[in-house]
Amino acid sequence: MNIKEAKELLDLSLEELSNLALEKKKKISKDFVFFTHNFHINYSNECLALCPICAFGKPLGQGYTLSLEDIENKLRDLKEKRKNILEIHIVGSLNPELPYRYYISLLELAKKYFPEATLKAFTATEIAYLAGQEKKSIKEVLSDFKVAGLEVLPGGGAEILKDELRKILCPKKVDTKTYLEVHRTAHNLGIKSNITMLFGHIETWEDILEHLSIVNNLYNETGGFLVFIPLLFHPKNTKFEKRVKKAFPSKVYRVIALSRLLLDIPHIKAYWIMLTPKIAQTSLLFGADDLDGCVYEEKITKFAKRKSPDYLDEENIKRLILDVGFTPVLRDGKFNIKKIYKES
Ligand code: SF4
């Protein structure tokens, strides 16, 4: 990616960006828009890092931590209610009170109850933290987790991959080099991953372009990213609440289109939980081709007072996709197609 050429895209109108992004999206994923049936487990919010951008993390002893028994009960309950879960997404916090064995058991439990679902767990920050806590290498931790069932790493924690900004946004999280090293190591072990970008805080458009460039370089090196996820920052209940206003939808659409145009990663996600279903739907006209999923039980953005509903059922997601002229496609967590829905 040539940053100088990329900068020229910043001068285009929303209509021009939409036209270009849709043209590229159609070459890659035709008129498909993907979604899945997924369940989130946010195992703890008690966190050492207390990042200024985070409304979810709480000091140790002041948040919640799910026991393995709590988690097994949730999984058992889910299994009775929903037979069609295709992806389990597990992320939490940096909690020094949880032993290494807890994480292994968590993966094993998810796999035991949902052997057919893709197991996506632990951000690069959590992996690097556990490696430090256990005095293991990143490769050893990822290998242990792979044996326990881990298949995909979620993309959280990338924020903006520029250390100068990370020191302000999330000073205790891994630096850019370590973040990328965790993903590179995962890809080399055959574990795919997702990758995010948190925007709408103190970043500039140049920071966004640099982030996209760094991400694309690693994708071209390993081919290991499944989807890129631009995440809209919600300042409510964070240390930035008084300093930053939530970005306008037009910024969301520009970021989605730039992501589609500048990245070689095949899928771009409009994460409705953070965007609202309506803005996520419009993002499909700017090159996004994935609406995430039904998202049963997500807690992280609830703490930042998001306006989106708790979950969307399959009919609602399909309607969002069909109403802007695309074809809904059910996928698993590795983007294997499970069903293509034609409008009846
Ligand atoms: S973003 Fe993650 S690491 Fe930072 S405070 Fe929140 S839970 Fe902890």
Side-chain angles (χ1 to χ4, degrees):
M1 180 179 127
N2 178 325
I3 294 267
K4 200 165 156 237
E5 281 169 21
K7 275 188 186 164
E8 287 169 15
L9 294 174
L10 297 176
D11 296 327
L12 298 184
S13 68
L14 276 176
E15 192 184 346
E16 288 166 323
L17 280 172
S18 165
N19 289 339
L20 287 174
L22 272 180
E23 194 183 320
K24 185 169 176 198
K25 177 248 178 283
K26 282 182 179 160
K27 280 189 195 143
I28 296 167
S29 52
K30 301 182 264 190
D31 69 340
F32 290 173
V33 170
F34 299 87
F35 73 98
T36 193
H37 287 283
N38 48 355
F39 181 65
H40 282 211
I41 301 175
N42 300 128
Y43 58 88
S44 175
N45 71 344
E46 299 188 297
C47 189
L48 277 182
L50 299 178
C51 305
I53 47 166
C54 180
F56 174 68
K58 301 287 172 224
L60 303 181
Q62 293 179 36
Y64 74 86
T65 297
L66 299 178
S67 67
L68 289 170
E69 199 186 342
D70 295 333
I71 290 167
E72 182 154 21
N73 288 339
K74 271 180 189 293
L75 289 164
R76 194 181 298 114
D77 187 47
L78 181 72
K79 184 91 185 168
E80 276 166 24
K81 288 194 196 134
R82 301 187 190 278
K83 306 274 173 239
N84 54 357
I85 295 292
L86 290 168
E87 178 187 287
I88 306 264
H89 173 98
I90 306 174
V91 296
S93 56
L94 311 185
N95 184 338
E97 280 158 18
L98 291 173
Y100 192 61
R101 181 69 221 168
Y102 174 93
Y103 298 88
I104 305 262
S105 300
L106 185 41
L107 292 169
E108 288 170 347
L109 276 176
K111 216 54 203 167
K112 176 177 144 195
Y113 282 89
F114 292 95
E116 64 295 334
T118 306
L119 189 45
K120 168 155 66 82
F122 310 131
T123 65
T125 299
E126 288 161 285
I127 298 287
Y129 172 71
L130 289 170
Q133 183 179 270
E134 285 305 296
K135 304 203 175 8
K136 285 179 177 245
S137 68
I138 285 165
K139 187 174 174 187
E140 283 169 321
V141 172
L142 287 168
S143 303
D144 290 347
F145 288 0
K146 189 178 175 190
V147 170
L150 177 73
E151 295 169 272
V152 175
L153 286 188
E159 323 310 5
I160 289 282
L161 291 168
K162 182 175 189 175
D163 288 334
E164 225 176 296
L165 287 192
R166 296 180 78 74
K167 282 184 190 138
I168 302 168
L169 301 170
C170 50
K172 296 205 177 139
K173 273 191 181 170
V174 285
D175 61 10
T176 300
K177 188 165 169 262
T178 312
Y179 185 92
L180 294 171
E181 198 44 41
V182 173
H183 283 266
R184 182 181 284 109
T185 309
H187 299 167
N188 290 338
L189 288 169
I191 299 167
K192 296 279 184 190
S193 69
N194 298 346
I195 176 109
T196 60
M197 172 177 71
L198 188 74
F199 69 96
H201 40 81
I202 54 168
E203 85 288 352
T204 62
W205 282 104
E206 287 205 357
D207 296 328
I208 287 177
L209 295 184
E210 273 174 41
H211 182 98
L212 294 175
S213 169
I214 290 170
V215 167
N216 211 41
N217 287 344
L218 185 54
Y219 178 74
N220 285 324
E221 181 190 321
T222 66
F225 291 129
L226 292 166
V227 59
F228 181 74
I229 314 161
L231 296 172
L232 174 64
F233 179 54
H234 288 242
K236 194 99 184 139
N237 290 345
T238 75
K239 300 247 162 55
F240 286 88
E241 187 168 357
K242 294 208 172 87
R243 189 171 161 191
V244 170
K245 286 212 163 48
K246 200 161 111 192
F248 288 114
S250 58
K251 179 156 191 176
V252 174
Y253 305 140
R254 273 186 188 278
V255 169
I256 296 265
L258 286 174
S259 307
R260 170 56 79 196
L261 289 168
L262 296 172
L263 294 174
D264 298 313
I265 299 172
H267 304 293
I268 307 292
K269 180 174 302 206
Y271 189 47
W272 65 262
I273 278 267
M274 277 177 126
L275 298 179
T276 72
K278 188 76 210 148
I279 294 175
Q281 181 188 44
T282 308
S283 299
L284 301 179
L285 303 173
F286 288 84
D289 69 346
D290 184 63
L291 273 190
D292 196 76
C294 300
V295 192
Y296 305 112
E297 211 171 305
E298 192 272 355
K299 284 199 165 66
I300 293 180
T301 54
K302 251 187 156 173
F303 282 80
K305 301 275 179 228
R306 63 167 151 84
K307 295 215 172 85
S308 302
D310 279 354
Y311 75 91
L312 288 177
D313 65 24
E314 181 173 305
E315 285 316 307
N316 277 321
I317 291 218
K318 278 158 48 186
R319 200 69 261 158
L320 287 174
I321 298 168
L322 288 164
D323 283 354
V324 281
F326 294 106
T327 300
V329 176
L330 184 66
R331 61 159 176 85
D332 68 10
K334 289 192 237 161
F335 280 80
N336 295 309
I337 291 178
K338 296 292 175 182
K339 189 167 179 182
I340 299 172
Y341 297 86
K342 290 285 171 203
E343 190 159 25
S344 49

